[in-house]
Amino acid sequence: MSGVDRAAAAGPRRIAGIAVPTLGVLIAEPLYLLFDLAVVGRLDALALAGLAVGGLILAQTSSQLTFLSYGTTARSARRYGAGDRAGAVVEGVQATWIALVVGAVILLLTQVFAVPVTTAIAGGGDIAAEALAWVRIALFGIPLILIAMAGNGWLRGIQHTRRPLVYVLAGLTVSAVLCPVLVYGLLGAPRMELPGSAVANLAGQFVTAALFANALLREQVSLLPRWSLIRTQLVLGRDLIVRSAAFQACFVSAAAVAARFGAASVAAHQLVLQLWGFLALTLDALAIAAQTLTGAALGAGDTAGARGIARRVTWWSELFSLALAACFAAGATVIPSLFTDDQEVLERTQVVWWFFVALIPVAGIVFALDGVLLGAGDAAYLRTTTLTAALLGFLPAIWLSLAFGWGVAGIWSGLAAFMVLRLVAVTWRAFSGRWARPGAEILS
């Protein structure tokens, strides 16, 4: 099927065929982390605190490089749409080289600074010592995590989304089997306690990375680094890293301000924010489908098809988000009570809840068009508008909430302003058509 034919065939079944396996990949890791938490939680509170600190360090050091998946998807999809499947895979080779080199550098730096970082986060003492024992082992997984990101990117680009799901599930299965065995010393294994969790994670990450690497080898393309491609990938990556940093600054600031309004406020904020995170993962699956199909259509030179994909995916994302909003509105009193029975927390949750419900349809459009624009390689525009929305909407409202005592309502007003500003920006860009630039190469 040609690139144009693929664009024309991008109906509900094709979109779902990409989005559903992608959703599986997106939610598999968070679900495993809950299992890991449950296993370690049966040791004692100190081990659980150590895992929390160590997990935060690992997540922050690896999550900033998501351009290895999102940027690679955009570039690979362009080449695939142009009929250059080998070129699409070569983009994956270059992303894997970046993953290896950058992962090794991050591993070295984090090992050198592991002691001061864990001490700073945990405040020293037994928690820092417990976290350090986990972190020293878990950090060796950083290059493996980045290889998996790159693998997800190029396989999505060539519209193979089931294989990444199989690879990720294979690795997590290994981790899930080994985790209780090594933590508790079952089946004759040594009782490693918290470090056993890190070893189990590392084993699973190795399996997943090996499967992605094997997929590259089977493609029989050149595995040599191509510096021109690596440079252009890093330019795209720079824009996505800056955009990601804007998100981090906003949500860290929101948590810090919520904490200053008391335990009930921060608990309510975090409870609803976790649901928002789950919602984001769900809508991201459709956004990645939009990214993959848009890139392929533009690579084939089919700008009309790309605009049609943008309309269809946005329409389906909005319908889905409206259904989700209706479910969460109907469960306004029931759903929060599944997580806590503290009346003060539940009262604060109700304040936040209706901001959350109202923002779901906004997110349906924003996330879908984010995917479209990422697929078009419009990362610089997304970087600039996300920073602008953060500086004009989210951050001022957060800090004004602290200054004037607006509480969690003020914090979520900031999130609402952030999302509305992004909605205006991506909608205007979508209607302008300036993003729909055809060709196998992403233009800066």
Side-chain angles (χ1 to χ4, degrees):
M1 186 182 289
S2 70
V4 174
D5 291 337
R6 279 189 294 270
R13 181 174 295 180
R14 187 75 191 117
I15 292 167
I18 295 174
V20 173
T22 299
L23 178 60
V25 171
L26 293 173
I27 67 173
E29 181 73 17
L31 288 176
Y32 170 74
L33 292 177
L34 290 176
F35 172 77
D36 191 18
L37 199 67
V39 171
V40 171
R42 292 183 179 275
L43 293 173
D44 54 39
L46 182 60
L48 199 58
L51 179 62
V53 172
L56 176 64
I57 293 169
L58 182 65
Q60 291 303 311
T61 51
S62 59
S63 64
Q64 300 305 314
L65 296 175
T66 54
F67 77 88
L68 285 169
S69 56
Y70 290 99
T72 305
T73 296
R75 293 184 58 81
S76 292
R78 284 263 188 166
R79 295 194 181 278
Y80 182 65
D84 182 11
R85 190 183 190 283
V89 177
V90 166
E91 292 286 351
V93 172
Q94 309 315 309
T96 303
W97 276 112
I98 295 172
L100 286 167
V101 174
V102 174
V105 171
I106 293 174
L107 171 59
L108 177 62
L109 291 174
T110 49
Q111 289 287 4
V112 169
F113 294 103
V115 173
V117 169
T118 52
T119 300
I121 295 174
D126 292 340
I127 294 176
E130 194 81 2
L132 184 63
W134 188 91
V135 163
R136 287 289 193 198
I137 299 167
L139 288 175
F140 284 97
I142 289 175
L144 304 175
I145 292 169
L146 300 187
I147 289 170
M149 286 184 185
N152 266 297
W154 72 266
L155 281 168
R156 288 172 186 167
I158 64 171
Q159 301 187 20
H160 285 206
T161 53
R162 292 182 182 177
R163 277 199 283 165
L165 178 59
V166 171
Y167 299 164
V168 168
L169 289 179
L172 291 179
T173 300
V174 170
S175 295
V177 171
L178 286 178
C179 188
V181 169
L182 296 178
V183 169
Y184 303 139
L186 305 177
L187 303 175
R191 182 181 173 92
M192 299 179 68
E193 299 198 342
L194 182 58
S197 162
V199 173
N201 287 349
L202 191 58
Q205 289 156 359
F206 178 82
V207 169
T208 298
L211 289 170
F212 277 115
N214 184 60
L216 267 183
L217 291 172
R218 290 207 312 266
E219 292 291 334
Q220 298 182 335
V221 298
S222 172
L223 299 179
L224 294 175
R226 292 174 56 179
W227 303 114
S228 60
L229 290 181
I230 288 174
R231 279 196 299 272
T232 54
Q233 287 193 10
L234 289 174
V235 169
L236 183 60
R238 175 201 62 196
D239 293 331
L240 294 176
I241 288 172
V242 171
R243 182 170 178 263
S244 177
F247 287 124
Q248 295 281 351
C250 288
F251 286 107
V252 169
S253 296
V257 171
R260 284 158 175 77
F261 290 123
S265 290
V266 73
H269 171 70
Q270 286 301 122
L271 189 159
V272 182
L273 195 62
Q274 289 299 314
L275 292 173
W276 178 261
F278 175 77
L279 174 84
L281 287 176
T282 305
L283 294 176
D284 254 357
L286 282 167
I288 289 169
Q291 183 187 6
T292 300
L293 294 169
T294 299
L298 291 175
D302 183 13
T303 56
R307 292 190 183 96
I309 289 165
R311 286 192 299 271
R312 283 194 292 277
V313 175
T314 303
W315 173 246
W316 283 105
S317 181
E318 184 61 7
L319 284 178
F320 183 50
S321 66
L322 286 170
L324 286 173
C327 292
F328 281 112
T333 56
V334 176
I335 296 173
S337 64
L338 298 175
F339 298 93
T340 182
D341 57 2
D342 186 298
Q343 287 305 307
E344 190 176 0
V345 173
L346 289 172
E347 287 174 9
R348 302 287 172 86
T349 300
Q350 288 303 304
V351 174
V352 176
W353 196 260
W354 297 106
F355 284 97
F356 168 60
V357 170
L359 286 175
I360 294 173
V362 176
I365 297 174
V366 170
F367 289 13
L369 290 179
D370 266 1
V372 169
L373 297 180
L374 280 173
D378 212 9
Y381 179 81
L382 289 173
R383 173 206 66 203
T384 302
T385 54
T386 301
L387 281 171
T388 302
L391 292 173
L392 296 182
F394 207 156
L395 290 173
I398 290 170
W399 296 112
L400 286 172
S401 296
L402 180 61
F404 294 101
W406 293 341
V408 287
I411 293 171
W412 279 75
S413 295
L415 177 58
F418 179 64
M419 290 299 295
V420 169
L421 287 171
R422 289 176 64 201
L423 174 66
V424 171
V426 295
T427 303
W428 177 84
R429 188 68 164 181
F431 277 113
S432 76
R434 295 180 183 178
W435 55 273
R437 293 175 291 180
E441 183 68 38
I442 288 176
L443 303 175
S444 60

